[in-house]
Amino acid sequence: MKVSKRLCSLIMVLAVIMPAMAQFSIGPRVGVALNTLELNDKAFGSDNRAGFTGGIQAELMLPVVNFGFDASVMYVRRTSELKVDGLEKIERDYIEIPLNLKYKFGLPVVGSLVSPFIFTGPSFAFKVSGKDFEGFIKEKKCDVAWNFGFGLQLISHLQVSANYGIGISKVADFKMQAVDVEAKHNGWTITAAWLF
């Protein structure tokens, strides 16, 4: 009984102290997005293409446990080439909001200079402009993915990271040669952020 009371007291004290100790930072973030349309039917194809991304990132970390959260609002240009009766190159613009849980590894001695981290979480992208695919392809306005990533924080401000996003929702579907084809965005995003 005494152990459970002490544990409850410790949890309550941490719940009050931790938010006060939390470190908040915010800053610009830019990078490159390497994406592909993943099709459920191999008779049709798509190629990897590079786009760019830029926006703002906010981070809230609990220093004692090196655990926290980051969120961004990013403009993303995605370029895709879809091979259906020829080759069609499509560029689309999205506002993307990735929400990540993040863990930073505390390194003795060099922790203030270099700190590796890992993160994961969902990403929500909303199409804002861009040429649609041909009329027989139905495009969706929202794209949901799950990100897995890693990176390095350098000199307490610069964060360089890479993440792979696995498409959860389909971004387009069409019927071709009596086959229902669905497309999802998968791909790498490599960014650099300067947090104040």
Side-chain angles (χ1 to χ4, degrees):
M1 187 70 168
K2 286 183 181 182
V3 172
S4 64
K5 282 184 180 180
R6 287 183 183 161
L7 184 58
C8 286
S9 297
L10 177 62
I11 290 171
M12 287 174 36
V13 167
L14 288 175
V16 171
I17 292 175
M18 290 299 231
M21 294 173 50
Q23 297 172 343
F24 178 78
S25 52
I26 190 167
R29 180 179 176 194
V30 295
V32 64
L34 307 168
N35 68 288
T36 185
L37 284 175
E38 218 34 62
L39 304 174
N40 66 335
D41 191 301
K42 299 303 176 195
F44 309 99
S46 70
D47 285 336
N48 292 334
R49 289 289 167 238
F52 59 88
T53 184
I56 191 162
Q57 176 180 328
E59 178 184 85
L60 183 66
M61 295 297 294
L62 300 173
V64 175
V65 293
N66 296 332
F67 186 74
F69 173 80
D70 77 29
S72 302
V73 177
M74 306 292 290
Y75 165 83
V76 181
R77 164 67 56 100
R78 290 184 179 156
T79 304
S80 302
E81 282 191 355
L82 185 62
K83 299 170 185 172
V84 179
D85 289 340
L87 190 64
E88 185 175 1
K89 181 178 177 182
I90 304 295
E91 293 181 342
R92 292 170 316 286
D93 300 316
Y94 290 84
I95 297 298
E96 184 173 16
I97 303 170
L99 308 169
N100 295 306
L101 293 174
K102 182 182 279 186
Y103 179 77
K104 291 184 181 176
F105 298 92
L107 298 177
V109 182
V110 295
S112 62
L113 296 175
V114 177
S115 181
F117 58 87
I118 56 174
F119 59 93
T120 187
S123 178
F124 305 93
F126 304 94
K127 184 179 169 196
V128 291
S129 70
K131 178 185 171 226
D132 287 335
F133 288 107
E134 293 299 327
F136 67 95
I137 298 177
K138 292 183 230 160
E139 267 196 283
K140 311 299 179 192
K141 300 293 183 195
C142 181
D143 179 13
V144 180
W146 194 272
N147 293 324
F148 298 91
F150 60 91
L152 282 177
Q153 180 167 308
L154 307 167
I155 59 172
S156 299
H157 294 286
L158 177 64
Q159 288 189 2
V160 179
S161 64
N163 71 274
Y164 188 76
I166 299 171
I168 296 173
S169 65
K170 59 185 178 181
V171 294
D173 57 19
F174 59 95
K175 192 172 190 94
M176 185 66 129
Q177 301 166 0
V179 176
D180 290 323
V181 181
E182 296 178 354
K184 296 181 179 181
H185 274 134
N186 289 347
W188 286 95
T189 303
I190 301 164
T191 60
W194 186 268
L195 301 180
F196 300 96

